[in-house]
PDB file of all heavy atoms in Angstrom:
ATOM      1  N   ALA A   1      87.230 -20.295 -55.280  1.00  0.00           N
ATOM      2  CA  ALA A   1      86.130 -20.979 -56.034  1.00  0.00           C
ATOM      3  C   ALA A   1      85.267 -20.020 -56.765  1.00  0.00           C
ATOM      4  O   ALA A   1      85.199 -18.787 -56.376  1.00  0.00           O
ATOM      5  CB  ALA A   1      85.358 -21.853 -55.033  1.00  0.00           C
ATOM      6  N   GLY A   2      84.615 -20.475 -57.740  1.00  0.00           N
ATOM      7  CA  GLY A   2      83.744 -19.714 -58.517  1.00  0.00           C
ATOM      8  C   GLY A   2      82.224 -19.687 -58.097  1.00  0.00           C
ATOM      9  O   GLY A   2      81.900 -20.432 -57.213  1.00  0.00           O
ATOM     10  N   ASP A   3      81.462 -18.896 -58.712  1.00  0.00           N
ATOM     11  CA  ASP A   3      79.954 -18.784 -58.458  1.00  0.00           C
ATOM     12  C   ASP A   3      79.162 -19.530 -59.491  1.00  0.00           C
ATOM     13  O   ASP A   3      77.862 -19.283 -59.562  1.00  0.00           O
ATOM     14  CB  ASP A   3      79.645 -17.199 -58.419  1.00  0.00           C
ATOM     15  CG  ASP A   3      79.873 -16.506 -59.716  1.00  0.00           C
ATOM     16  OD1 ASP A   3      80.341 -17.194 -60.688  1.00  0.00           O
ATOM     17  OD2 ASP A   3      79.608 -15.401 -59.783  1.00  0.00           O
ATOM     18  N   GLY A   4      79.781 -20.355 -60.358  1.00  0.00           N
ATOM     19  CA  GLY A   4      79.016 -21.162 -61.347  1.00  0.00           C
ATOM     20  C   GLY A   4      78.684 -20.492 -62.582  1.00  0.00           C
ATOM     21  O   GLY A   4      77.937 -21.024 -63.473  1.00  0.00           O
ATOM     22  N   HIS A   5      79.242 -19.302 -62.873  1.00  0.00           N
ATOM     23  CA  HIS A   5      78.878 -18.629 -64.212  1.00  0.00           C
ATOM     24  C   HIS A   5      79.605 -19.312 -65.283  1.00  0.00           C
ATOM     25  O   HIS A   5      80.640 -19.954 -65.137  1.00  0.00           O
ATOM     26  CB  HIS A   5      79.181 -17.115 -64.107  1.00  0.00           C
ATOM     27  CG  HIS A   5      80.613 -16.627 -64.143  1.00  0.00           C
ATOM     28  ND1 HIS A   5      81.421 -16.532 -63.075  1.00  0.00           N
ATOM     29  CD2 HIS A   5      81.341 -16.421 -65.309  1.00  0.00           C
ATOM     30  CE1 HIS A   5      82.559 -16.097 -63.488  1.00  0.00           C
ATOM     31  NE2 HIS A   5      82.548 -15.990 -64.865  1.00  0.00           N
ATOM     32  N   PRO A   6      79.097 -19.135 -66.535  1.00  0.00           N
ATOM     33  CA  PRO A   6      79.724 -19.859 -67.740  1.00  0.00           C
ATOM     34  C   PRO A   6      80.987 -19.126 -68.148  1.00  0.00           C
ATOM     35  O   PRO A   6      81.155 -17.910 -68.049  1.00  0.00           O
ATOM     36  CB  PRO A   6      78.648 -19.677 -68.698  1.00  0.00           C
ATOM     37  CG  PRO A   6      77.807 -18.521 -68.358  1.00  0.00           C
ATOM     38  CD  PRO A   6      77.841 -18.463 -66.795  1.00  0.00           C
ATOM     39  N   VAL A   7      81.920 -20.058 -68.674  1.00  0.00           N
ATOM     40  CA  VAL A   7      83.137 -19.517 -69.215  1.00  0.00           C
ATOM     41  C   VAL A   7      83.370 -20.143 -70.509  1.00  0.00           C
ATOM     42  O   VAL A   7      83.330 -21.296 -70.686  1.00  0.00           O
ATOM     43  CB  VAL A   7      84.306 -19.829 -68.224  1.00  0.00           C
ATOM     44  CG1 VAL A   7      85.597 -19.293 -68.828  1.00  0.00           C
ATOM     45  CG2 VAL A   7      84.094 -19.368 -66.790  1.00  0.00           C
ATOM     46  N   LEU A   8      83.675 -19.308 -71.534  1.00  0.00           N
ATOM     47  CA  LEU A   8      83.978 -19.716 -72.941  1.00  0.00           C
ATOM     48  C   LEU A   8      85.455 -19.693 -73.120  1.00  0.00           C
ATOM     49  O   LEU A   8      86.067 -18.691 -72.759  1.00  0.00           O
ATOM     50  CB  LEU A   8      83.242 -18.887 -73.949  1.00  0.00           C
ATOM     51  CG  LEU A   8      83.521 -19.178 -75.383  1.00  0.00           C
ATOM     52  CD1 LEU A   8      83.086 -20.586 -75.785  1.00  0.00           C
ATOM     53  CD2 LEU A   8      82.775 -18.135 -76.270  1.00  0.00           C
ATOM     54  N   VAL A   9      86.109 -20.844 -73.383  1.00  0.00           N
ATOM     55  CA  VAL A   9      87.511 -20.929 -73.544  1.00  0.00           C
ATOM     56  C   VAL A   9      87.848 -21.082 -75.198  1.00  0.00           C
ATOM     57  O   VAL A   9      87.441 -22.042 -75.740  1.00  0.00           O
ATOM     58  CB  VAL A   9      88.067 -22.041 -72.751  1.00  0.00           C
ATOM     59  CG1 VAL A   9      89.591 -22.016 -72.847  1.00  0.00           C
ATOM     60  CG2 VAL A   9      87.656 -22.008 -71.321  1.00  0.00           C
ATOM     61  N   LEU A  10      88.683 -20.205 -75.623  1.00  0.00           N
ATOM     62  CA  LEU A  10      89.053 -20.225 -77.032  1.00  0.00           C
ATOM     63  C   LEU A  10      90.436 -20.602 -77.189  1.00  0.00           C
ATOM     64  O   LEU A  10      91.411 -20.144 -76.505  1.00  0.00           O
ATOM     65  CB  LEU A  10      88.872 -18.807 -77.625  1.00  0.00           C
ATOM     66  CG  LEU A  10      87.468 -18.198 -77.281  1.00  0.00           C
ATOM     67  CD1 LEU A  10      87.387 -16.768 -77.966  1.00  0.00           C
ATOM     68  CD2 LEU A  10      86.302 -19.048 -77.843  1.00  0.00           C
ATOM     69  N   PRO A  11      90.749 -21.544 -78.124  1.00  0.00           N
ATOM     70  CA  PRO A  11      92.144 -22.088 -78.374  1.00  0.00           C
ATOM     71  C   PRO A  11      92.937 -21.094 -79.271  1.00  0.00           C
ATOM     72  O   PRO A  11      92.467 -20.231 -79.811  1.00  0.00           O
ATOM     73  CB  PRO A  11      91.861 -23.439 -78.981  1.00  0.00           C
ATOM     74  CG  PRO A  11      90.615 -23.168 -79.822  1.00  0.00           C
ATOM     75  CD  PRO A  11      89.783 -22.265 -79.035  1.00  0.00           C
ATOM     76  N   GLY A  12      94.279 -21.468 -79.222  1.00  0.00           N
ATOM     77  CA  GLY A  12      95.291 -20.648 -80.022  1.00  0.00           C
ATOM     78  C   GLY A  12      95.181 -21.242 -81.577  1.00  0.00           C
ATOM     79  O   GLY A  12      94.579 -22.122 -81.977  1.00  0.00           O
ATOM     80  N   LEU A  13      96.056 -20.481 -82.296  1.00  0.00           N
ATOM     81  CA  LEU A  13      96.257 -20.867 -83.719  1.00  0.00           C
ATOM     82  C   LEU A  13      96.637 -22.323 -83.951  1.00  0.00           C
ATOM     83  O   LEU A  13      97.507 -22.859 -83.304  1.00  0.00           O
ATOM     84  CB  LEU A  13      97.368 -19.935 -84.241  1.00  0.00           C
ATOM     85  CG  LEU A  13      97.624 -20.227 -85.816  1.00  0.00           C
ATOM     86  CD1 LEU A  13      96.487 -19.762 -86.606  1.00  0.00           C
ATOM     87  CD2 LEU A  13      98.864 -19.318 -86.220  1.00  0.00           C
ATOM     88  N   SER A  14      95.883 -22.966 -84.841  1.00  0.00           N
ATOM     89  CA  SER A  14      96.029 -24.376 -85.155  1.00  0.00           C
ATOM     90  C   SER A  14      95.565 -25.350 -84.178  1.00  0.00           C
ATOM     91  O   SER A  14      95.607 -26.555 -84.396  1.00  0.00           O
ATOM     92  CB  SER A  14      97.515 -24.706 -85.698  1.00  0.00           C
ATOM     93  OG  SER A  14      98.318 -24.878 -84.529  1.00  0.00           O
ATOM     94  N   ALA A  15      95.161 -24.846 -83.007  1.00  0.00           N
ATOM     95  CA  ALA A  15      94.767 -25.774 -81.911  1.00  0.00           C
ATOM     96  C   ALA A  15      93.231 -25.833 -81.841  1.00  0.00           C
ATOM     97  O   ALA A  15      92.592 -25.029 -82.328  1.00  0.00           O
ATOM     98  CB  ALA A  15      95.324 -25.218 -80.489  1.00  0.00           C
ATOM     99  N   GLY A  16      92.777 -26.830 -81.125  1.00  0.00           N
ATOM    100  CA  GLY A  16      91.333 -26.981 -80.966  1.00  0.00           C
ATOM    101  C   GLY A  16      90.980 -27.200 -79.499  1.00  0.00           C
ATOM    102  O   GLY A  16      91.803 -26.969 -78.498  1.00  0.00           O
ATOM    103  N   ASP A  17      89.775 -27.692 -79.173  1.00  0.00           N
ATOM    104  CA  ASP A  17      89.386 -27.737 -77.783  1.00  0.00           C
ATOM    105  C   ASP A  17      90.180 -28.706 -76.912  1.00  0.00           C
ATOM    106  O   ASP A  17      90.211 -28.629 -75.739  1.00  0.00           O
ATOM    107  CB  ASP A  17      87.900 -28.062 -77.834  1.00  0.00           C
ATOM    108  CG  ASP A  17      86.989 -27.018 -78.159  1.00  0.00           C
ATOM    109  OD1 ASP A  17      87.368 -25.801 -77.942  1.00  0.00           O
ATOM    110  OD2 ASP A  17      85.912 -27.188 -78.681  1.00  0.00           O
ATOM    111  N   ALA A  18      90.753 -29.754 -77.603  1.00  0.00           N
ATOM    112  CA  ALA A  18      91.555 -30.734 -76.786  1.00  0.00           C
ATOM    113  C   ALA A  18      92.678 -30.014 -75.976  1.00  0.00           C
ATOM    114  O   ALA A  18      93.002 -30.477 -74.907  1.00  0.00           O
ATOM    115  CB  ALA A  18      92.140 -31.792 -77.716  1.00  0.00           C
ATOM    116  N   THR A  19      93.289 -28.913 -76.604  1.00  0.00           N
ATOM    117  CA  THR A  19      94.299 -28.234 -75.941  1.00  0.00           C
ATOM    118  C   THR A  19      93.930 -27.436 -74.721  1.00  0.00           C
ATOM    119  O   THR A  19      94.730 -27.205 -73.869  1.00  0.00           O
ATOM    120  CB  THR A  19      95.030 -27.293 -76.940  1.00  0.00           C
ATOM    121  OG1 THR A  19      94.171 -26.283 -77.302  1.00  0.00           O
ATOM    122  CG2 THR A  19      95.518 -28.084 -78.153  1.00  0.00           C
ATOM    123  N   THR A  20      92.672 -27.081 -74.683  1.00  0.00           N
ATOM    124  CA  THR A  20      92.207 -26.357 -73.499  1.00  0.00           C
ATOM    125  C   THR A  20      91.452 -27.210 -72.410  1.00  0.00           C
ATOM    126  O   THR A  20      90.903 -26.661 -71.499  1.00  0.00           O
ATOM    127  CB  THR A  20      91.149 -25.292 -73.971  1.00  0.00           C
ATOM    128  OG1 THR A  20      90.034 -25.792 -74.488  1.00  0.00           O
ATOM    129  CG2 THR A  20      91.821 -24.345 -75.035  1.00  0.00           C
ATOM    130  N   TYR A  21      91.528 -28.572 -72.624  1.00  0.00           N
ATOM    131  CA  TYR A  21      90.900 -29.437 -71.711  1.00  0.00           C
ATOM    132  C   TYR A  21      91.350 -29.294 -70.270  1.00  0.00           C
ATOM    133  O   TYR A  21      90.627 -29.135 -69.356  1.00  0.00           O
ATOM    134  CB  TYR A  21      90.993 -30.825 -72.214  1.00  0.00           C
ATOM    135  CG  TYR A  21      90.322 -31.831 -71.249  1.00  0.00           C
ATOM    136  CD1 TYR A  21      88.925 -31.903 -71.154  1.00  0.00           C
ATOM    137  CD2 TYR A  21      91.064 -32.575 -70.345  1.00  0.00           C
ATOM    138  CE1 TYR A  21      88.353 -32.879 -70.329  1.00  0.00           C
ATOM    139  CE2 TYR A  21      90.509 -33.354 -69.344  1.00  0.00           C
ATOM    140  CZ  TYR A  21      89.143 -33.457 -69.324  1.00  0.00           C
ATOM    141  OH  TYR A  21      88.521 -34.334 -68.387  1.00  0.00           O
ATOM    142  N   PRO A  22      92.746 -29.235 -70.060  1.00  0.00           N
ATOM    143  CA  PRO A  22      93.181 -29.088 -68.669  1.00  0.00           C
ATOM    144  C   PRO A  22      92.700 -27.800 -68.027  1.00  0.00           C
ATOM    145  O   PRO A  22      92.268 -27.854 -66.812  1.00  0.00           O
ATOM    146  CB  PRO A  22      94.743 -29.024 -68.896  1.00  0.00           C
ATOM    147  CG  PRO A  22      95.014 -29.828 -70.185  1.00  0.00           C
ATOM    148  CD  PRO A  22      93.900 -29.341 -71.036  1.00  0.00           C
ATOM    149  N   LEU A  23      92.658 -26.738 -68.814  1.00  0.00           N
ATOM    150  CA  LEU A  23      92.141 -25.452 -68.294  1.00  0.00           C
ATOM    151  C   LEU A  23      90.647 -25.601 -67.993  1.00  0.00           C
ATOM    152  O   LEU A  23      90.198 -25.125 -66.838  1.00  0.00           O
ATOM    153  CB  LEU A  23      92.348 -24.338 -69.309  1.00  0.00           C
ATOM    154  CG  LEU A  23      91.711 -22.937 -69.044  1.00  0.00           C
ATOM    155  CD1 LEU A  23      92.112 -22.490 -67.563  1.00  0.00           C
ATOM    156  CD2 LEU A  23      92.099 -21.988 -69.986  1.00  0.00           C
ATOM    157  N   ARG A  24      89.921 -26.157 -68.787  1.00  0.00           N
ATOM    158  CA  ARG A  24      88.489 -26.335 -68.503  1.00  0.00           C
ATOM    159  C   ARG A  24      88.173 -27.344 -67.409  1.00  0.00           C
ATOM    160  O   ARG A  24      87.191 -26.983 -66.646  1.00  0.00           O
ATOM    161  CB  ARG A  24      87.746 -26.758 -69.843  1.00  0.00           C
ATOM    162  CG  ARG A  24      87.608 -25.683 -70.887  1.00  0.00           C
ATOM    163  CD  ARG A  24      86.931 -26.023 -72.085  1.00  0.00           C
ATOM    164  NE  ARG A  24      87.708 -26.915 -73.034  1.00  0.00           N
ATOM    165  CZ  ARG A  24      87.277 -28.087 -73.356  1.00  0.00           C
ATOM    166  NH1 ARG A  24      86.215 -28.692 -72.805  1.00  0.00           N
ATOM    167  NH2 ARG A  24      88.153 -28.810 -74.140  1.00  0.00           N
ATOM    168  N   ALA A  25      89.033 -28.281 -67.311  1.00  0.00           N
ATOM    169  CA  ALA A  25      88.717 -29.242 -66.134  1.00  0.00           C
ATOM    170  C   ALA A  25      89.163 -28.515 -64.885  1.00  0.00           C
ATOM    171  O   ALA A  25      88.428 -28.748 -63.821  1.00  0.00           O
ATOM    172  CB  ALA A  25      89.721 -30.430 -66.314  1.00  0.00           C
ATOM    173  N   PHE A  26      90.047 -27.699 -64.858  1.00  0.00           N
ATOM    174  CA  PHE A  26      90.487 -26.927 -63.599  1.00  0.00           C
ATOM    175  C   PHE A  26      89.267 -25.903 -63.246  1.00  0.00           C
ATOM    176  O   PHE A  26      88.884 -25.813 -62.156  1.00  0.00           O
ATOM    177  CB  PHE A  26      91.719 -26.081 -63.895  1.00  0.00           C
ATOM    178  CG  PHE A  26      91.982 -25.026 -62.853  1.00  0.00           C
ATOM    179  CD1 PHE A  26      92.355 -25.338 -61.546  1.00  0.00           C
ATOM    180  CD2 PHE A  26      91.801 -23.703 -63.159  1.00  0.00           C
ATOM    181  CE1 PHE A  26      92.690 -24.407 -60.596  1.00  0.00           C
ATOM    182  CE2 PHE A  26      92.067 -22.703 -62.216  1.00  0.00           C
ATOM    183  CZ  PHE A  26      92.444 -23.112 -60.942  1.00  0.00           C
ATOM    184  N   LEU A  27      88.757 -25.260 -64.321  1.00  0.00           N
ATOM    185  CA  LEU A  27      87.679 -24.381 -64.104  1.00  0.00           C
ATOM    186  C   LEU A  27      86.362 -25.084 -63.591  1.00  0.00           C
ATOM    187  O   LEU A  27      85.626 -24.647 -62.635  1.00  0.00           O
ATOM    188  CB  LEU A  27      87.300 -23.630 -65.343  1.00  0.00           C
ATOM    189  CG  LEU A  27      88.398 -22.686 -65.842  1.00  0.00           C
ATOM    190  CD1 LEU A  27      87.946 -22.000 -67.142  1.00  0.00           C
ATOM    191  CD2 LEU A  27      88.616 -21.508 -64.909  1.00  0.00           C
ATOM    192  N   ARG A  28      86.162 -26.227 -64.065  1.00  0.00           N
ATOM    193  CA  ARG A  28      84.993 -27.053 -63.619  1.00  0.00           C
ATOM    194  C   ARG A  28      85.170 -27.483 -62.128  1.00  0.00           C
ATOM    195  O   ARG A  28      84.225 -27.375 -61.386  1.00  0.00           O
ATOM    196  CB  ARG A  28      84.843 -28.311 -64.548  1.00  0.00           C
ATOM    197  CG  ARG A  28      83.625 -29.126 -64.213  1.00  0.00           C
ATOM    198  CD  ARG A  28      83.404 -30.225 -65.228  1.00  0.00           C
ATOM    199  NE  ARG A  28      83.254 -29.637 -66.633  1.00  0.00           N
ATOM    200  CZ  ARG A  28      84.188 -29.754 -67.560  1.00  0.00           C
ATOM    201  NH1 ARG A  28      85.416 -30.284 -67.222  1.00  0.00           N
ATOM    202  NH2 ARG A  28      83.985 -29.288 -68.746  1.00  0.00           N
TER     203      ARG A  28
END
């Protein structure tokens, strides 16, 4: 588990934030 610090997630070429949603949901 984490300590609550912020994490910025950057997508790949031609992709947007929707593609990183599973990763961000996991981190949350």
